Amino acid sequence: MALTANNPFFTRSTLPYQLPPFASITDEHYRPAFLQGMTAQLAEVSAITGTADAPSFDNTLVALERSGQTLARVSEVFFNKSSSDSSDFTNDLEEELAPLLAAHADAIRLDPALYSRLAAVHEQRASLGLDAESLYLVERYFTEFTLAGAGLSDDNKQSLRDFNSRLSTLTTRFEKNLLADTNELALIIDDVAELDGLTEGEISAAAEAARERQLDGKYLISLVLPTSHPYLASLTDRGVRERLLAASRARGIRSDAAGAANDNRPLVIEITHLRAQRARLLGFDSHAAYVTADETAKTPGAVWDLLGRLAPAAARNARVEQVDLQAVVDAEGGGFELAAWDWAFYTEKVRRAKYDVDTAAMRPYFELESVLTNGVFYAANQLYGLTFTARPELVGWHPESRVFEVTTEDGTALGLYIGDFYTRDSKRGGAWMNALVSQSGLLGTNTTVVCNNLNVSKPAAGQPTLLTYDQVTTLFHEFGHALHGLLARATYPKFSGTNVYRDFVEFPSQVNEMWMLWPEVLANYARHYQTGEAMPQKLVDRIQASSAFNEGFLTSEYLAAALLDQAWHRIDADTVVTDVARFEAEALASVSLDNAAVPTRYASTYFAHTFSGGYDAGYYSYIWSEVLDADTVEWFRENGGLTRDNGDRFRDRLLGVGGTKDPLEAYRHWRGRDAELQPLLDRRGLNA
């Protein structure tokens, strides 16, 4: 009773910016808050449908937007915790909650009385005198409820509920299996000599990771989410490289006694089949058709046209690169055919030979604190006038999470930014952004709390955290999502922050990557951690000269994953796949991306984006958004680059819009036209 009465999720936090009171939250608070939150929201919806008053915008749409605040508070905290600091408790609770939350969502979206009221408001929307955002809210609700099955018969609704419940359980289990296998397959090294090629800091991080597992005297290399591990570019021992890549690719496919519990192959088959069946029930030929119907792409054909246009050129470029790499192997008397675990290592050799660029030599200039404060924060200050002030007295969800207050140049408070940058066994792979408190004028929440999670290996105490080139890119990327969450302004919770179409959500984050190498930004943060000297200009010039280098490989591995995602979700309800490996091989061969030396960025059994991360039939969105991103970079270059005027225009017309209007309409308002494809082709070296 005491836990229920004092549950911190039952009321708004009184901390600055409504920061969740992490110091007061215990495991025992989550389940009661979820159950009470669902019960309360259903009661609120019942009040909407039970009124005798005729449907109106206020008594239906606004009331619906006000509902579910307790559930939102606990969900935002719990699902961030279960991703970034999981435990047996969070794993068990998440699996218990998955079908309950799916049923709860269905109880609202499939409520015939609620749908009837939404339809009535939608029908009379033009005569209601609504502002643009309110009108768009009516249209989005009606579209989403219709696509969700609100108009189905009672029998079909029950079938839909069964599909949604089962899928929620399977996707949750997929994620937990992947985390377990990622931890269990981490590479254990006995002899430090096998780590030749790694930096002192990387070796220190491997020793620290081993010590955390009580493996004193050994070294542990944690796996990353993608197939290729960054250490493959540095490790000189070919056998260790092979073992590291094999461990990465073994996730979710082991059938031995040790790994059978984490076998994701049956889940992949069942998930895709259920999604196809559900799509048919909802009136679509495939899950891909169902998903894209409510994205900017609109059809899977449009997605396939773009990916299919890029794939042949990418595959061709990768083959050319492969010849160059094999030549180096042969010149050194290697006596072997280039394999997937050799690609990154020999790429660095060719990069050094062709462009005199050594990415490993950049790491002393990429110290985490400087990248964050003098790079990421600095660019945001120059563009948008934002200031980030450390608030060490405010507590995050983990001792390593750090809280910063965000204000505008006139001192107006925007909210809090929380960074959690280090990897740990309790954190899922990859990097991401979450919102813990979302802005909404309707709810009186005019500030936000956003967070970034990365997976950087933590060095031993006293050692600097030196980032790789790719990790710096990732930090700028994820911070772009955070900026979107901080700067977007909406009346309604539905449109807050990054609540936009899935195939547009990556656009702001990809745009923010451009500032990583922008001259004045790079000069401000890329300084040697020991001497303070700036990165030599000649090194910067060489980086830029080699910008299209290895793009054949990088584009091919990405497109292979995007096309594999599409292949899984273009199957119809009558198709039953029985062999995951064969399906993958045939799908990649059909688009000439079956080069053994260029594995797909994610194989199906560890493809978290599509089987547990909400990007199902939507992994194409990265390159779809990159069309806009590359076109945007051209605009900034043509209009003076890193200036407040440019930042204000981009904020006012794009970032600040949130989900309040069609994103392509917002893009045209900012750019003056639709995006052109040519800048992307130039960037990735995909011109004929």
Side-chain angles (χ1 to χ4, degrees):
M1 291 295 293
L3 282 173
T4 301
N6 298 311
N7 194 309
F9 294 115
F10 288 170
T11 57
R12 282 190 176 191
S13 169
T14 58
L15 293 176
Y17 304 98
Q18 296 181 43
L19 175 70
F22 290 105
S24 304
I25 296 171
T26 66
D27 286 349
E28 290 76 14
H29 289 131
Y30 289 111
R31 192 174 187 276
F34 271 109
L35 297 179
Q36 174 61 25
M38 287 186 281
T39 298
Q41 187 171 27
L42 291 180
E44 291 162 340
V45 171
S46 181
I48 295 171
T49 59
T51 181
D53 296 338
S56 71
F57 179 78
D58 286 336
N59 70 19
T60 302
L61 277 300
V62 172
L64 192 55
E65 282 291 274
R66 290 187 182 278
S67 72
Q69 294 184 45
T70 296
L71 183 58
R73 281 193 291 269
V74 66
S75 296
E76 287 164 341
V77 173
F78 176 77
F79 289 111
N80 180 73
K81 180 177 176 61
S82 68
S83 297
S84 61
D85 191 23
S86 65
S87 63
D88 289 342
F89 169 80
T90 62
N91 291 341
D92 291 344
L93 182 58
E94 188 168 6
E95 194 152 357
E96 175 192 349
L97 288 171
L100 298 179
L101 290 169
H104 175 74
D106 283 343
I108 296 173
R109 291 180 301 192
L110 303 182
D111 185 325
L114 181 59
Y115 184 54
S116 176
R117 294 183 71 86
L118 291 172
V121 177
H122 182 263
E123 186 175 356
Q124 57 181 317
R125 65 192 184 281
S127 62
L128 298 178
L130 300 175
D131 60 56
E133 183 182 348
S134 299
L135 181 61
Y136 193 54
L137 184 72
V138 174
E139 294 169 347
R140 292 303 304 146
Y141 260 113
F142 182 72
T143 297
E144 290 177 10
F145 271 59
T146 301
L147 288 172
L152 295 176
S153 68
D154 289 344
D155 287 346
N156 284 341
K157 283 181 180 179
Q158 186 54 52
S159 297
L160 182 60
R161 292 186 186 97
D162 294 341
F163 285 140
N164 290 340
S165 177
R166 180 63 177 161
L167 282 166
S168 69
T169 297
L170 294 174
T171 54
T172 300
R173 192 173 301 160
F174 182 99
E175 181 178 341
K176 302 314 169 190
N177 287 355
L178 175 55
L179 178 60
D181 239 17
T182 298
N183 288 334
E184 291 172 17
L185 287 167
L187 197 62
I188 299 172
I189 302 294
D190 295 320
D191 185 352
V192 69
E194 294 183 285
L195 298 180
D196 180 60
L198 299 188
T199 66
E200 181 180 341
E202 288 168 335
I203 294 172
S204 169
E208 180 67 19
R211 277 194 293 272
E212 290 179 356
R213 294 199 190 184
Q214 288 76 54
L215 296 171
D216 291 351
K218 298 182 184 295
Y219 304 85
L220 186 138
I221 300 178
S222 301
L223 302 182
V224 297
L225 189 57
T227 300
S228 295
H229 195 288
Y231 289 1
L232 292 174
S234 306
L235 288 163
T236 62
D237 189 317
R238 188 168 189 250
V240 175
R241 296 201 305 269
E242 182 178 6
R243 288 167 54 200
L244 181 56
L245 187 64
S248 177
R249 299 181 74 173
R251 287 173 293 175
I253 63 171
R254 292 183 297 159
S255 57
D256 57 286
N262 301 328
D263 189 348
N264 273 339
R265 287 172 296 186
L267 302 185
V268 168
I269 290 170
E270 188 176 359
I271 287 169
T272 51
H273 185 55
L274 288 174
R275 285 173 175 168
Q277 290 181 298
R278 181 178 63 181
R280 172 182 285 180
L281 182 69
L282 292 167
F284 293 90
D285 294 335
S286 67
H287 183 66
Y290 167 65
V291 168
T292 53
D294 200 32
E295 302 290 353
T296 66
K298 299 307 178 188
T299 68
V303 174
W304 201 264
D305 286 346
L306 176 64
L307 300 183
R309 176 176 178 178
L310 303 179
R316 176 201 65 212
N317 291 356
R319 295 286 182 184
V320 172
E321 294 164 2
Q322 189 173 357
V323 170
D324 287 346
L325 301 183
Q326 186 66 53
V328 176
V329 173
D330 296 343
E332 293 181 351
F336 57 84
E337 183 178 347
L338 184 85
W341 52 88
D342 301 313
W343 192 291
F345 183 76
Y346 284 93
T347 289
E348 290 309 305
K349 286 178 175 279
V350 174
R351 195 195 309 270
R352 287 193 293 270
K354 277 193 170 184
Y355 300 100
D356 195 20
V357 172
D358 181 359
T359 55
M362 302 178 195
R363 295 194 65 174
Y365 299 95
F366 292 155
E367 190 271 326
L368 174 60
E369 286 304 305
S370 184
V371 173
L372 180 66
T373 59
N374 301 324
V376 170
F377 290 169
Y378 173 77
N381 175 266
Q382 296 300 296
L383 268 176
Y384 309 115
L386 305 184
T387 298
F388 297 79
T389 305
R391 295 289 301 269
E393 78 281 9
L394 297 179
V395 177
W397 59 86
H398 188 275
E400 290 173 350
S401 58
R402 303 164 55 196
V403 182
F404 297 85
E405 184 175 25
V406 188
T407 55
T408 63
E409 60 186 352
D410 65 1
T412 301
L414 273 185
L416 299 175
Y417 169 78
I418 306 177
D420 186 358
F421 305 118
Y422 292 115
T423 191
R424 48 184 173 266
D425 287 351
S426 61
K427 183 188 285 190
R428 69 172 169 87
W432 64 95
M433 171 268 188
N434 282 337
L436 294 176
V437 178
S438 298
Q439 180 272 336
S440 165
L442 177 69
L443 302 183
T445 307
N446 292 314
T447 56
T448 63
V449 179
V450 300
C451 56
N452 280 158
N453 273 278
L454 272 66
N455 269 283
V456 176
S457 296
K458 186 178 182 180
Q463 296 293 318
T465 301
L466 303 181
L467 304 181
T468 65
Y469 182 89
D470 287 344
Q471 287 169 338
V472 177
T473 304
T474 298
L475 182 51
F476 273 85
H477 176 99
E478 295 303 332
F479 190 74
H481 286 304
L483 284 172
H484 198 186
L486 285 165
L487 296 177
R489 287 288 165 258
T491 300
Y492 305 107
K494 188 171 196 60
F495 296 146
S496 64
T498 59
N499 290 335
V500 296
Y501 288 117
R502 174 65 72 183
D503 58 7
F504 185 81
V505 75
E506 296 298 334
F507 166 65
S509 54
Q510 289 173 322
V511 167
N512 203 60
E513 292 178 25
M514 90 168 86
W515 308 117
M516 172 186 170
L517 293 180
W518 206 264
E520 54 262 55
V521 178
L522 188 72
N524 202 58
Y525 77 85
R527 296 185 172 274
H528 198 285
Y529 78 99
Q530 291 175 314
T531 66
E533 295 180 359
M535 181 183 288
Q537 185 59 43
K538 62 181 181 180
L539 183 55
V540 178
D541 294 340
R542 291 167 185 163
I543 294 171
Q544 294 172 333
S546 66
S547 60
F549 177 73
N550 202 42
E551 276 297 335
F553 174 90
L554 295 173
T555 306
S556 292
E557 66 151 10
Y558 165 76
L559 289 175
L563 286 160
L564 184 60
D565 170 45
Q566 287 294 303
W568 277 117
H569 292 112
R570 283 165 65 97
I571 62 176
D572 60 33
D574 296 324
T575 301
V576 178
V577 178
T578 58
D579 187 326
V580 171
R582 179 183 300 172
F583 182 89
E584 284 188 350
E586 292 175 353
L588 296 178
S590 71
V591 289
S592 301
L593 291 174
D594 53 341
N595 186 343
V598 188
T600 175
R601 184 177 295 180
Y602 305 105
S604 301
T605 56
Y606 52 91
F607 202 167
H609 286 78
T610 196
F611 291 110
S612 64
Y615 277 77
D616 40 292
Y619 192 63
Y620 75 89
S621 61
Y622 287 90
I623 203 148
W624 190 268
S625 294
E626 194 179 343
V627 174
L628 305 178
D629 156 39
D631 193 57
T632 296
V633 171
E634 291 298 305
W635 184 90
F636 272 97
R637 286 175 177 160
E638 294 165 359
N639 288 275
L642 190 77
T643 69
R644 281 302 312 282
D645 285 345
N646 287 344
D648 287 345
R649 178 184 172 93
F650 193 66
R651 172 181 178 172
D652 293 344
R653 300 192 181 191
L654 273 171
L655 289 187
V657 168
T660 62
K661 61 168 37 176
D662 181 285
L664 296 185
E665 178 186 337
Y667 188 87
R668 285 189 290 272
H669 183 218
W670 170 74
R671 187 68 163 103
R673 59 166 173 75
D674 289 328
E676 296 177 351
L677 181 61
Q678 192 60 45
L680 171 67
L681 300 178
D682 294 339
R683 172 191 288 185
R684 287 187 174 259
L686 296 175
N687 294 301

